[in-house]
Amino acid sequence: MQKDFYTTIKHQVEGIYKEKGSKFLAFAFPVQSENEIKGYIDDLKKKYHDARHHCYAWELGPDGNNFRMNDDGEPSGTAGKPILGQIHSFGLTNILVVVVRYFGGVKLGTGGLIQAYKAATADALEKAEQTECTIDKSFSIRFSYDLMNPVMRVIDEEGLTINAQEFKAECKMTLAVRESKFESIIDRFRKSYGIEVIDNSFDNS
């Protein structure tokens, strides 16, 4: 069965790690889009404009194919990669982690940097409350009012979400269902009750 859920964090959390005068501030955010990610990064760069580095990693989607890392001037592979590694270790996606570094005057070396960015990220993620989110698919149905009871029965039994509804000469609803159940729900509406499934709901047609 296809995977139709993912695990992310419920709220923004912060972590910190200190080493040889350097301070690493970690900020983790639940996110849904690259525009949202950019906004958080820009805000942190403005707030902590006096910091030496603003390194980050993010991932979107359950398949692990949409991600990015940024070392922001640190030696290649010493910041973004360990941040992303912690995201994977905690089994998370739809998340952004930014680690802001204030340089303490002593170089930490490649190994020291990797450990520092890893530890700061881990400190934040250990504080986070995780949440499992379903991947839902929306669709709309059109039906006569005398089918309202059967429709509501399917909605209740299958745990569907009603996103919009309209009751005029005929009834229209926009519903959402877990992606893995989408085809079976469509078949149930069509085959059991002859209900029309449409792609868009309230187009005023």
Side-chain angles (χ1 to χ4, degrees), residues 8-202:
T8 188
I9 61 174
K10 208 164 188 178
H11 307 290
Q12 175 187 344
V13 290
E14 299 178 10
I16 188 171
Y17 179 78
K18 297 178 180 179
E19 180 69 21
K20 295 180 180 178
S22 283
K23 186 164 62 174
F24 298 81
L25 308 176
F27 304 87
F29 306 87
V31 292
Q32 296 293 328
S33 69
E34 292 189 37
N35 282 337
E36 189 179 6
I37 289 168
K38 184 178 183 302
Y40 283 131
I41 294 171
D42 289 345
D43 287 346
L44 287 174
K45 285 183 176 180
K46 290 176 184 176
K47 184 174 182 179
Y48 299 96
H49 59 87
D50 55 339
R52 178 73 65 91
H53 304 282
H54 305 80
C55 306
Y56 63 85
W58 57 260
E59 184 168 309
L60 292 172
D63 55 12
N65 292 329
N66 190 12
F67 65 90
R68 187 167 298 168
M69 302 170 286
N70 190 304
D71 294 317
D72 193 34
E74 295 282 33
S76 179
T78 61
K81 188 173 182 180
I83 295 172
L84 186 65
Q86 286 303 293
I87 290 174
H88 290 164
S89 293
F90 280 79
L92 301 169
T93 189
N94 281 51
I95 185 172
L96 162 69
V97 178
V98 182
V99 179
V100 176
R101 180 192 181 187
Y102 284 91
F103 182 55
V106 178
K107 292 185 177 181
L108 303 183
T110 299
L113 286 173
I114 292 172
Q115 173 58 28
Y117 282 100
K118 177 180 177 181
T121 303
D123 187 54
L125 297 183
E126 283 167 358
K127 300 172 183 174
E129 181 181 355
Q130 296 189 6
T131 181
E132 187 175 288
C133 302
T134 60
I135 301 170
D136 297 332
K137 193 167 184 177
S138 296
F139 64 99
S140 301
I141 56 175
R142 196 193 321 253
F143 56 94
S144 58
Y145 193 82
D146 62 344
L147 289 174
M148 178 62 71
N149 286 338
V151 167
M152 294 306 299
R153 184 162 58 247
V154 173
I155 290 171
D156 290 340
E157 291 175 357
E158 301 291 351
L160 307 184
T161 300
I162 301 174
N163 290 332
Q165 54 190 352
E166 181 181 285
F167 305 122
K168 292 183 178 178
E170 62 180 1
C171 304
K172 298 178 184 178
M173 284 186 176
T174 297
L175 307 171
V177 62
R178 288 183 68 147
E179 194 169 50
S180 60
K181 297 173 65 176
F182 178 75
E183 294 298 335
S184 64
I185 295 299
I186 294 300
D187 285 345
R188 184 172 179 184
F189 277 125
R190 282 176 172 161
K191 294 178 180 178
S192 298
Y193 304 109
I195 291 173
E196 181 185 5
V197 179
I198 52 181
D199 291 332
N200 56 334
S201 53
F202 302 169

